[in-house]
Structures are given as structure tokens and as C-alpha cells.
Amino acid sequence: MSRILRFLAVSIALAVAVPAAAQVQTGSILVRAVDEQGAVVPGVTVTITSPVLVAGSMTGVTDAGGVFRFPSLVPGTYIVKMELTGFQTINRENISVLVGQTTPIDFSMKVASIAESITVTSASPAVDTTSANVSVTLSEQLIQGTPGGRDIWALVESKVPGLVISRPDVGGTSGGLQGTFSARGTTSAQNTSFLNGVNVGDPAAIGAAGFYYDTDAFDSIQVSTGSHDITVPTSGVFLNMVTKTGGNVWNGSGTFTWTGDSLQARNDHNPNLQKYGFRQDGNTSDFVSDVNITAGGPLIKNKLRFFGSFRDWRVHQNVPVQASQTVLDQTNITSGLGNITWQLNQNNRLTGFYSRQRYSKPNRLLNNASITVIDSTSDEEDMFDLVQGQWNTVLGKNFFLDARLGLNKILFPTYQNGGNQQSATDNATGIVYGNFPTDTVRNRDRYQSNATGQYYIDRALGGRHELRFGFDNSHAVTQNKNTRVDDVRTFYNSTLTPRSVSVEIYATPLIDLSALDVLAIFGQESYSVKRLTLTAGLRWERLEGYLPEQSSPASVFYPTLQRSFSEVRNIVNWRTGGPRVSAIYDLTGDGKTAAKASYGRYYYVLSTGGGGVQNVNPNANYFTTYTWNDANGDLKFQPGEQTGAGVLTSGTTTSIDSNFSRPFTDEFSFGVDHELMANFKLSVGYTYRRERNLQVSANPDIAYATTLTSAIDPGIDGVVGTTDDGTYGFFQRTSAANRRLITNDRAVLQSFKGLEISGTKRFSDRWQMLAGIGFSKNRQDHSSLDTSPNLLINADGNITTANNADHPVGFKLSGMYILPWHDVILSGNVRSGSGGPVTRQISRSLAIGSAETINLEPLGNTRLDPLTVIDLRLGKLFKLANNRSFEATIDFDNLMNADTTWGVRTLTPATAFTDPTTGTRQTLQQFLSPTQILVPRTIVLRAALKF
């Protein structure tokens, strides 16, 4: 409690002391007024009106430079009115404000001989000439009007150019389980998700969502992939989501989607799949349903508004796992949220938000399906709570301020499903039998505050200045309760005799805690003169990871082990400053073509327990690895079967290098945006990123031989004695010494080089589109440190990690057209790209300790086949009385019924598989054998009512 009180005190002090930058979860309108000769016109009264404004309108006056900016605007469509005595009054309609972007509008004021007013209906500008940010906006029309899954991961997979994801989705059948995604080479752990200006990511699994978003409740979603705003902490993908606030009249919607086994084709009847254990019809859905109801409107006209949403979402998917089994992986999510907005007066607005979600997944695969059986699934029963408060105020004609408080609470338990079975792993295949290794109950809380604002200087040094300052303060704490069946985990090899290899003996039960405090203070100035805008800023951060006071119950195998521990502060304590600069030049002077260049340094954020904090926690993980002599051959460990020198792994054997410093990303970006035609923007951009100072673990003890031992490589076929045999070298383990040092690999370089061409067409003239093609290379080179020299063998090459794997070519197209004939809807997605890279490997048993996996070829040397998915939607829009409408659609996802393999085994030794259709068991090549294929063509039925 004292920590929370200190957090609130610091937050309040900062909010009072620090004027700050307008937060990126809103948009803005920048008005410029000139006369017929091009001279600036100060003193023009500017009024904006929109249904999304609670008060209905806002008013300002252009400054000495003829400019006025409306910051912190809710995304939507606005009308801008310009008035000045002696000039025509101009009304400009259909001005689109997008989340996280500035809409610049130039007005030419004409002298009027008599009072007159003109109304201009034209396209809203498509190019932002004030920012170098690289992003796309997923509008409500695009989200609701195109096929694909109804979760954020399916949306970004099918629609955002340049973004790669760890698993493909077809028709929402992967919904209810987060995918991991990345762009421009940076790992997904550095992604950031903001909802209404507050970080809603998981504090212990950074880059992942803190809950499952209700996309029907969003006005729009900005997906930023590069050249981020100074308020964004990390270099990864930035999701910027804004909840609806309700309009000036009551309205709502109801949406229902459905698919099931009878609406799916079959694509897994290939005999090559069956011989590797695929059961026919094993990758279909039992059913997927989604019911969503929203409503919003004024409680008090022009004063108080409410918006609410309820969702019941169920995804029951058949997942082929090992041993010729299929798991019914069912996800059941029920959630509700409410958002209330109070316009106190013209200059002050308060907003309150609350969401609660229950998540049930009784057969979760915490491991990949390629190493899971039914017993080693887990029962996940979560509860997510989110509370937010926001204050927006105008403190003067040139100063605007926002302030926010947020609380995220996550209960995330995963209970073992295998009864009293020990967890046993077959090193030959990696398959985990019995139970999943641990039974864990996780509690993850984050308390957050930030204040943001903007101050304008009309004219100085020949141009206009926008000064921005801000802070973001967070306190996060995580608790894990871990238990294991018999407090052990066993390892064996099904291809050897005897089969037993090693056993890990744990000091469970353990109840560990870790915490992370982050304070960021940032400042930025934008200087605009004529066509040029220069921006320079600095983001300073203080990050501290520490261990709160904690204790665990007594251990069976380690009865004398210390179980209570005092608080330990400053285990990781970094102070860093990251500069960001950019230049934007309006090439044509009409706001339609802008050249942009930027540089930014982004420091890595840590999870609670990250940066080695959890590794040095003596209460978090304590086990000894022994050679296992399974005397009775039952593959179940009994006390006394452990032999040899034990290798201890714990916080007592781990330390953090005194010179350990914060990893970072340097980004260089160059591009051109051009308004090709009304509402259509064409962008071309090149990015170079380098990830440096990466965190690694090293073993400071000389625990391995210094020369290689030669062994037989059975080749791709995995069979010893055939023509493709070769040899490989490994370092034998000679000591049980197992100290671990958390440090930086200062030699390793992870680099990304990419060219991207994209086109964005806002919805107008009955159609919309978002498309892009990218060419890139994502590599890792000069790896020099790891816990074992065996892990450095062939460690350089194409990055293979699923969440940021190297994909040299990627193309995406998403769009919709409403035919003039009876309002028939035609829309679709096309996504196509290079297959993922994989590495041939072998599991090598060592004289001491556990087996280690060794790369037999350069990292990512082998590439899977390209993956292409086409989705099509047909629908009909029925316009009803009183602005109501009903829409019925049918989607054909994976239209061509592709059966592309996207997951394979990478171990080399041939192993035995059973064909479930014939019962035939045979020894087959394991490397590149399929574990995951695309879900078959799926028909999704959807009905939506707006009222």
C-alpha cells in the first residue's frame, strides 16, 4: 500500500509541475489562414462542430501567424467555419480527424463587399505535413466492412502493411488466443498498446495485450510501425485505440457472427499429413460465435454522454496435437465496458471508463501443438479489470492539458490438466507428456498516470513553435504461485536405450513477487517555417526493477532452504535519454506531397521481473538437474533415482553484471507521402534499424571443453548410415558449475533493412482500400555470448523467432466497394508473403546436466513455402427508416482452401509416427515434417443492425 501511495504522490506532483504534450490517442486540426496575396491573416474566428463533440462545438482565433490548432480531438468528421469581418465566411465540411494524426487545412480568405458565406465540400487532406510518423488508421468502416477475424491480431495480420505475425488466422478461428506480431525487425516484446491514452499491455508479458479488446467499441485504431511520437516509449508496433463516447443522439448496434464445422471445407486429407500423425478433419472448428451489442448517447444534452458495450465471444477450435490426438481448444470470453463523458464547461471535460472481462480456456496449449498432447494442456480461467479516468482542459488560448489515471488488474491462472502425472519431455521429439510442467496462478497489476499538453508560440525566430512536455509514471507488480506434481520434471529419449536422461528436482511450492517502476519525462519542440517543419525531442526515463518482500511455504526436497526474503531495491536501475528528430518538407506547397526523414533512439522496456530481476530472485526458481537412472523403467521418477553431480539453477547462482546496461534500437527512416487523388495517399519509405546492447545470459565458469568433439550428423533424412550423413562438432560439458551472469552482448547486431510502398484510400465514393508491399531483410550477426558455447554454433543468420522472423517479401490488400446496384457489398483481403525461416537442429545429450539443442546449419538457412490467403465477402445493405440499417454478409475466408504448411519440426533424428487412418507406425524424416497447416476455407455468416 505504501508503494501505491508514493506512486500517487509522485503522479500528482508531476501533473501539477509539468505541462505536457497532447497525447497521441486523439487527433488534431491545424488551421492556416491566408489572404488572396498569400499573407497570413490573424484574428480569424475558427469554429469546429461535430456530433462527436459533447458540447457540439469548439471555438478559437488564429494567432499572429494566421494559425490555430485544435488538439485532443475525438476522431470523427468535423465542419470548420472561418469568420472575420470584411471577409467571406467559409464553411468547410467533411474534415476527417484520425487518431494520432494532425489534419492540416489551408483557408484562402477572400474580401467580401457584403456579408456572404460559402460552403466548401471537398476531400479532407490525406497527407500530414507536420509529422514523420509511419502509421495506418484502421477506420470503423474498414474494420466492419471487410472479412477476417474480429480481434486485433487478425485485423493487423490481414490489413497492416509490413507487419508479420506468429500464426495465420482464417475467419476468426484463431481468435481468443493472442498472436505475437512485429514490424521493422523489432521483437514483439517492444510493442505498446494504448487504450484512451493509457498503457493496457500485460506488465509481465510485455508486448502482449492485457485483455481481449472489443473492436466494436472502437472509433478507430492507429497502428504505428515507425518514427513514433515522443510520447510512445518503445520502437515496436504501437497500437493506439480509442473507445467510442456516444453521439449527440442515442444510437447503437448489434452484431452477430457465426461459423462452424458444417461451414468449413477440408484440406487435411493429404496422405503426407496422415503419415505424420494428422487426424483427418482435425483442424476444423466446432463453432465460432460472436454476439456484440453497443449503445450510446446523451444523458444530458451537450453535457453528459454514455457509451456501453457487451460482448459474448466463443471460439471452439479443433487443434491437431501429438500422439494422433485432437484437442477441442475452446475459448469463452464475456466482457462489458462503459464510458462516460462529462463536459463541465467549454474548457474542461472529464471521462471515466471501466471494463471487466472473464476468459475461460479449459484446454490451453501453453506449448506449441507440435510438442503437446491432451494431458499437457492447461485450464486457464482469467479475469481482467480496467479502470481509467481522464481530464482535458484548456488553460489559455495557447495552452492545452490532459491528465489520466489508469489501473489494470489481471488474474491469469493456468491449472494442470494431467491429474497426478509427472511432466515428462521426450528429447527426441520435444513432446511434453503427462502434465504441463507447472501449475501457476498469476496476479499482475499496473498503476499508471500521465499528463499531456501543448503550448504554442505564435511567432519567434521567423517561424511558429509548438513546445511539448510530458510525463508518464507507472508502478507494476506481479505475483506467481507455482506448484508441480511431485516437485519434479523428467526428460527421456525415446530413440535411446535406456530411455531416461535427466530429472529436474524443484523447491516448489513457490510464491514469488517482482515489481517495476518507470518514470518518463519528455520534451519536444516543433519549428515550422514556410514549407519546412523541424522537430527535436528527448525522452528521459528512470526504470527500476526490484523484489518486494516475499515468502513461500516449506519445500519437500529442500527442507532447510530459506523461504522468507526482505525487499531488495535497485536490482536494475537505469537512467537513459533517447533523442528523436525529424524533418518534413512540403515539396509542392499545397500540402499534397511531403518528404520526411527521421532518427530516433528507443530504449527497451522491461517486464516485471525482466532484466534479470526474476533470475536473481532466490524465491522464484530453484531446482537441481541430475542424471536420471530409471531403475524400474516406468518413466516415473522415484526419490533416489537421481545420480551424478547435480547442476543447481537458482537466484543464488545468478548475478547481474555491474556494467549491465539498457538495450536500445536506433531507427533511421526516409519517405515520401503523396496525395494521389482525393482521399488517396501513396507512401514510399525506407527504414534501417539496428538493435544493440542486447540482453544475454552467460556462464562465467569454465564448464565446457575448449575443443570440439565430433559426432555423426544423420543428415536431413535423420537416419544414420545413409548417403547424406555428415559430422558436427559440439562442446562437451566437463563441470556442473552453473553460475549465470545477466549481461549484454556488445558484439551482436540485429539489423533490419526494408523498403515499403503503401496506398491508403479513405472511404468515399462508395469504396475504401489499404494496401502495401514490402521488401526487407532481418538478420542477426556477431553473436558472442550465451550460457553454453553450443548455443553459439551457427547462431548467426536470418532471424527465426516467430514474432519477428525474417520475411523478405510481403504483400497485403484490404478493401471494400458498395455497388450502386441495390447497395450490394463486395470486399476482401489478400495477403501473401515469403515463408518463415527455420534451422535444422539436433538435441545433444551431455556428460553433465541436461541435453542441449545445436544448430546444424546457419540460423534460418532453410525457408518454408510462401503463404497466400485470399478472403472474400459478399453482402447486402438494407437502409431502414429513422437512419437505421441492416447488413447481412457472407465471408469466404481462405477462399482457395490453401493447405500451406506454416509450422514444422526442426530436429533432425528420424522418429516414429503413427498414421491415425491406418494405424501404421513407421520411422520417418523429422526435419521439415508438418505440425501446422492453414485452417480450411471457412464460411462466416454475419448480421449487423444499426439503430
Side-chain angles (χ1 to χ4, degrees):
M1 180 62 71
S2 62
R3 290 294 306 164
I4 297 173
L5 293 176
R6 283 202 297 272
F7 163 82
L8 290 174
V10 170
S11 299
I12 293 170
L14 287 168
V16 171
V18 183
Q23 187 67 296
V24 293
Q25 96 288 347
T26 54
S28 67
I29 293 176
L30 179 65
V31 174
R32 303 186 186 101
V34 297
D35 62 20
E36 294 177 271
Q37 286 72 44
V40 299
V41 182
V44 179
T45 299
V46 188
T47 303
I48 61 172
T49 57
S50 174
V52 300
L53 293 174
V54 178
S57 65
M58 295 178 67
T59 301
V61 178
T62 59
D63 59 24
V67 175
F68 187 82
R69 181 191 289 268
F70 293 94
S72 302
L73 296 180
V74 176
T77 301
Y78 289 74
I79 298 173
V80 180
K81 182 179 182 181
M82 306 286 285
E83 297 176 285
L84 182 63
T85 301
F87 290 84
Q88 289 179 337
T89 295
I90 304 175
N91 292 280
R92 186 162 176 184
E93 301 177 337
N94 298 324
I95 301 301
S96 296
V97 171
L98 304 178
V99 60
Q101 297 185 32
T102 295
T103 302
I105 312 171
D106 294 328
F107 285 87
S108 179
M109 306 294 292
K110 296 182 179 181
V111 176
S113 55
I114 58 173
E116 62 178 312
S117 175
I118 62 171
T119 298
V120 179
T121 302
S122 61
S124 183
V127 175
D128 185 350
T129 58
T130 67
S131 170
N133 174 239
V134 180
S135 64
V136 297
T137 298
L138 304 181
S139 65
E140 183 179 10
Q141 295 100 323
L142 188 70
I143 294 171
Q144 302 295 344
T146 52
R150 287 170 49 82
D151 62 74
I152 192 66
W153 302 277
L155 285 174
V156 298
E157 177 200 356
S158 62
K159 294 169 174 46
V160 179
L163 186 144
V164 298
I165 196 162
S166 57
R167 50 89 175 137
D169 177 75
V170 173
T173 55
S174 297
L177 184 62
Q178 298 184 33
T180 52
F181 54 84
S182 68
R184 302 176 182 237
T186 299
T187 174
S188 66
Q190 297 308 306
N191 293 348
T192 303
S193 298
F194 275 18
L195 178 63
N196 303 323
V198 177
N199 191 333
V200 291
D202 188 327
I206 51 173
F211 68 112
Y212 290 78
Y213 308 125
D214 180 355
T215 53
D216 280 10
F218 294 155
D219 263 320
S220 58
I221 304 170
Q222 181 199 29
V223 185
S224 176
T225 57
S227 302
H228 298 311
D229 184 270
I230 193 71
T231 58
V232 179
T234 60
S235 61
V237 178
F238 174 54
L239 292 181
N240 192 11
M241 299 163 285
V242 180
T243 309
K244 294 176 181 177
T245 58
N248 55 5
V249 296
W250 277 94
N251 55 60
S253 67
T255 305
F256 174 69
T257 63
W258 170 272
T259 189
D261 180 76
S262 61
L263 297 178
Q264 290 186 289
R266 300 293 185 264
N267 67 351
D268 61 354
H269 288 208
N270 186 331
N272 190 57
L273 297 175
Q274 270 73 72
K275 73 179 183 181
Y276 280 107
F278 276 70
R279 187 180 298 277
Q280 291 184 355
D281 307 334
N283 66 336
T284 57
S285 301
D286 187 39
F287 72 90
V288 179
S289 69
D290 193 353
V291 178
N292 196 295
I293 301 172
T294 69
L299 299 176
I300 302 175
K301 187 174 180 61
N302 295 334
K303 202 73 173 176
L304 190 65
R305 286 185 181 178
F306 172 80
F307 174 82
S309 179
F310 170 82
R311 186 181 194 186
D312 184 88
W313 181 24
R314 299 171 187 266
V315 182
H316 291 201
Q317 178 72 7
N318 296 306
V319 178
V321 292
Q322 302 312 297
S324 301
Q325 297 175 345
T326 297
V327 168
L328 179 58
D329 184 12
Q330 54 178 300
T331 306
N332 304 301
I333 302 175
T334 304
S335 58
L337 62 84
N339 195 48
I340 192 163
T341 306
W342 181 21
Q343 189 77 42
L344 282 76
N345 51 47
Q346 180 69 23
N347 293 334
N348 290 277
R349 184 174 73 243
L350 294 175
T351 303
F353 175 87
Y354 176 68
S355 171
R356 165 161 274 212
Q357 184 173 91
R358 185 181 185 280
Y359 178 102
S360 175
K361 195 176 184 72
N363 289 289
R364 173 161 182 180
L365 281 71
L366 288 173
N367 281 325
N368 191 284
S370 64
I371 58 172
T372 301
V373 294
I374 291 176
D375 285 346
S376 57
T377 63
S378 298
D379 180 12
E380 180 179 350
E381 304 292 339
D382 303 340
M383 189 67 74
F384 308 111
D385 289 282
L386 180 61
V387 183
Q388 297 177 350
Q390 178 177 334
W391 172 43
N392 305 88
T393 184
V394 179
L395 298 177
K397 69 173 185 176
N398 291 341
F399 186 36
F400 303 84
L401 176 69
D402 301 336
R404 297 173 185 80
L405 291 172
L407 169 61
N408 298 10
K409 294 183 71 67
I410 299 173
L411 170 63
F412 172 22
T414 50
Y415 306 109
Q416 293 172 315
N417 276 336
N420 61 359
Q421 299 179 84
Q422 295 175 359
S423 179
T425 300
D426 181 358
N427 285 347
T429 62
I431 298 173
V432 179
Y433 293 95
N435 264 303
F436 183 78
T438 57
D439 185 292
T440 306
V441 178
R442 307 166 188 84
N443 287 274
R444 302 169 176 176
D445 298 340
R446 177 195 279 117
Y447 302 83
Q448 184 175 357
S449 66
N450 60 54
T452 61
Q454 196 151 329
Y455 184 75
Y456 309 112
I457 299 176
D458 295 349
R459 181 68 58 175
L461 300 176
R464 175 181 169 83
H465 300 256
E466 297 186 5
L467 303 177
R468 309 178 61 191
F469 309 87
F471 82 90
D472 198 336
N473 189 33
S474 67
H475 166 67
V477 61
T478 295
Q479 175 183 275
N480 301 305
K481 298 180 180 179
N482 291 298
T483 58
R484 296 171 182 265
V485 173
D486 296 337
D487 301 320
V488 300
R489 181 181 182 184
T490 62
F491 297 84
Y492 70 97
N493 192 314
S494 59
T495 66
L496 301 178
T497 303
R499 293 181 293 171
S500 58
V501 175
S502 61
V503 60
E504 295 173 350
I505 299 179
Y506 287 81
T508 42
L510 290 169
I511 305 174
D512 66 81
L513 288 94
S514 57
L516 181 75
D517 290 347
V518 181
L519 171 63
I521 299 175
F522 48 86
Q524 177 178 286
E525 179 182 1
S526 293
Y527 171 66
S528 299
V529 56
K530 296 183 179 179
R531 301 183 187 181
L532 178 66
T533 299
L534 299 175
T535 301
L538 180 71
R539 185 182 177 93
W540 179 89
E541 293 181 337
R542 177 187 181 275
L543 182 152
E544 183 199 0
Y546 66 96
L547 296 174
E549 181 181 2
Q550 56 195 283
S551 63
S552 294
S555 164
V556 172
F557 284 103
Y558 306 89
T560 62
L561 190 65
Q562 180 182 350
R563 306 298 275 180
S564 296
F565 304 88
S566 301
E567 181 183 66
V568 182
R569 300 302 300 263
N570 297 315
I571 296 175
V572 171
N573 195 334
W574 289 325
R575 290 171 173 82
T576 55
R580 302 185 198 176
V581 295
S582 65
I584 305 97
Y585 187 72
D586 184 349
L587 292 173
T588 54
D590 58 3
K592 293 187 176 182
T593 307
K596 305 181 178 186
S598 69
Y599 162 76
R601 171 163 288 188
Y602 305 83
Y603 284 94
Y604 277 29
V605 70
L606 296 180
S607 63
T608 48
V613 173
Q614 190 74 333
N615 299 111
V616 301
N617 186 352
N619 190 43
N621 198 23
Y622 193 103
F623 67 94
T624 306
T625 304
Y626 295 95
T627 300
W628 177 26
N629 177 26
D630 183 24
N632 60 9
D634 64 352
L635 287 183
K636 181 178 181 180
F637 171 79
Q638 283 90 33
E641 292 184 341
Q642 67 269 35
T643 63
V647 177
L648 176 64
T649 300
S650 81
T652 63
T653 62
T654 303
S655 60
I656 298 177
D657 188 345
S658 59
N659 294 317
F660 179 46
S661 57
R662 196 171 180 182
F664 61 86
T665 304
D666 282 329
E667 179 192 63
F668 303 84
S669 183
F670 311 91
V672 176
D673 290 346
H674 174 63
E675 186 175 315
L676 195 62
M677 60 183 185
N679 293 303
F680 194 118
K681 180 178 72 173
L682 178 67
S683 301
V684 179
Y686 175 80
T687 300
Y688 171 69
R689 277 188 181 179
R690 60 189 184 200
E691 317 280 337
R692 299 306 301 262
N693 229 26
L694 299 181
Q695 177 182 328
V696 295
S697 296
N699 187 344
D701 296 312
I702 303 174
Y704 293 82
T706 57
T707 58
L708 288 167
T709 298
S710 182
I712 296 176
D713 173 5
I716 292 178
D717 67 5
V719 178
V720 175
T722 57
T723 56
D724 68 346
D725 288 2
T727 60
Y728 70 96
F730 70 96
F731 295 94
Q732 184 58 268
R733 186 158 191 167
T734 58
S735 168
N738 196 41
R739 286 190 299 152
R740 187 179 187 186
L741 180 68
I742 307 298
T743 185
N744 303 103
D745 188 341
R746 303 189 189 280
V748 70
L749 171 64
Q750 181 181 320
S751 63
F752 173 87
K753 300 174 183 178
L755 175 68
E756 184 178 296
I757 304 169
S758 64
T760 304
K761 167 64 169 61
R762 288 199 297 257
F763 184 76
S764 63
D765 300 323
R766 308 178 73 91
W767 72 287
Q768 62 182 326
M769 184 195 74
L770 176 59
I773 186 168
F775 308 91
S776 63
K777 196 67 178 173
N778 195 22
R779 284 186 55 85
Q780 176 175 296
D781 294 287
H782 313 305
S783 303
S784 65
L785 287 175
D786 214 314
T787 53
S788 164
N790 291 317
L791 303 181
L792 294 172
I793 297 172
N794 287 318
D796 293 339
N798 301 320
I799 292 176
T800 59
T801 309
N803 64 51
N804 67 327
D806 175 57
H807 291 269
V809 181
F811 170 77
K812 294 182 184 179
L813 168 65
S814 183
M816 178 182 75
Y817 178 58
I818 301 178
L819 279 67
W821 183 73
H822 296 293
D823 289 328
V824 172
I825 300 169
L826 177 64
S827 65
N829 305 313
V830 179
R831 55 194 187 277
S832 181
S834 306
V838 296
T839 311
R840 190 166 66 90
Q841 301 172 314
I842 195 166
S843 177
R844 178 72 208 184
S845 295
L846 301 176
I848 297 173
S850 58
E852 294 180 352
T853 300
I854 298 172
N855 291 342
L856 296 175
E857 62 181 4
L859 186 69
N861 189 65
T862 303
R863 191 170 295 278
L864 303 184
D865 292 337
L867 188 147
T868 299
V869 181
I870 300 173
D871 307 323
L872 177 67
R873 168 176 290 181
L874 296 174
K876 174 71 171 69
L877 177 65
F878 301 90
K879 296 179 180 178
L880 309 176
N882 300 320
N883 291 320
R884 293 176 297 167
S885 66
F886 176 77
E887 184 178 306
T889 63
I890 181 170
D891 296 350
F892 301 88
D893 296 297
N894 188 10
L895 179 67
M896 307 308 294
N897 200 32
D899 62 353
T900 310
T901 296
W902 59 270
V904 298
R905 297 175 180 87
T906 60
L907 290 174
T908 287
T911 191
F913 296 90
T914 300
D915 185 329
T917 60
T918 64
T920 302
R921 185 171 178 82
Q922 55 184 326
T923 298
L924 301 170
Q925 173 183 321
Q926 184 177 193
F927 179 57
L928 293 182
S929 61
T931 61
Q932 300 281 345
I933 68 170
L934 276 175
V935 170
R937 179 173 55 246
T938 299
I939 296 175
V940 180
L941 307 178
R942 173 179 173 271
L945 174 67
K946 292 184 178 181
F947 54 90

